[in-house]
Amino acid sequence: MLFDVRAPMTNAISGGKILLTGAGGSIGSALAKTIVGLDPRLLILLDHSERNLYQIDMELRATPDHDVHLPILGDISDRALLVKIFEHHQPDIIIHTAAFKHVPLTERNPISAVRNNALGTNVLAGASQMHGVARLIMISTDKAVNPISVMGASKRVAEHALLRWTNSNSQMRALRLGNVLGSEGSVVPAFQRQIAAGGPVTVTHPNVSRYFLAIGEAVELILLAASLEGAEGVFIPELGEPVRILDLAHQMIEKAGFTPEREIPIAFTGLRSGDKMTEEFVSDRESLEPTGNAKLHRVKTPEIVPDKFDALMRDLSEKVERRELAAALALLYDIVPEYRPSESLLGLLKDFSA
């Protein structure tokens, strides 16, 4: 078990009913394996990927705590399903990890990213408040800060949704994380495959850098955020130093027993659509506040006007369902005015209107 039983996060989980969205993903499955060891009354695993849900279900069935989890195949955008879950199981805590998060893929499929990340989270948050779920913790991303990708912008809208629906009876928190090592789409398994194949190891730019944390660290921070008392809003972890991706490539090649550049070549491919040279956790419109725990800081961010936000989300939902990309992006910009679409997305917009 990852945590001391006296830890605050253990107390938050023990005896509770937990709904985990995206339960079959990299972070979701790591959370599920940890949570079942913290003595919950019930762990509901929600995922729209049959393959991923089956995998985590089978893994948990092989553990001593196999009788506390319930797999549900479904989508966070399915309001009727959520209502059934809330009415029948009455979860105490929701940990929301479900998201489309691969930047280049979501740049090519922006409607799906907005529907899942932004609209889906708004449905989940609204239904959670309506049914009195005590706490909802969402995994957000540093890419939501001054976003240049639709993934980042859609996650910023998701943060807005939590700020819109949170109240004293249903506290909602977004935790911005950087790149999680070993997660799906992480650079580490990609580098490992490339090294095993003899190279080249592909790096987008010599100076590109990212903030990294291990999956175990991410799990601890998420459960720590879940354990905070009387706290709502957006949070970030205590940050280390960013890692230059080229340095990471060198380290991994050397660890594998090869000499970088000579035995394993490195190829620079250029920044991908929606990529930044460096990521940031706090925008110029935001500031940090202490939480009472040195590992987490609260981000003081502009307030949400509920009526205006609700109207924009209704319009966004209509445009997404009609697959009207130009109108959807215009509304995305209205909600997140700091969003700057990538050139490739603007090119896709031209294709949609052709």
Side-chain angles (χ1 to χ4, degrees), residues 15-19 35 40-44 67-70 89:
K17 291 183 284 187
I18 316 301
L19 170 60
I35 290 170
R41 181 178 172 187
L42 175 66
L43 173 60
I44 305 164
D67 58 342
V68 301
H69 79 278
L70 171 67
H89 298 292

Side-chain angles (χ1 to χ4, degrees), residues 120-143:
T121 298
N122 192 52
V123 169
L124 177 66
S128 299
Q129 190 218 60
M130 182 181 299
H131 289 84
V133 177
R135 299 178 193 175
L136 188 157
I137 299 88
M138 179 188 78
I139 311 311
S140 190
T141 170
D142 50 8
K143 294 174 177 61

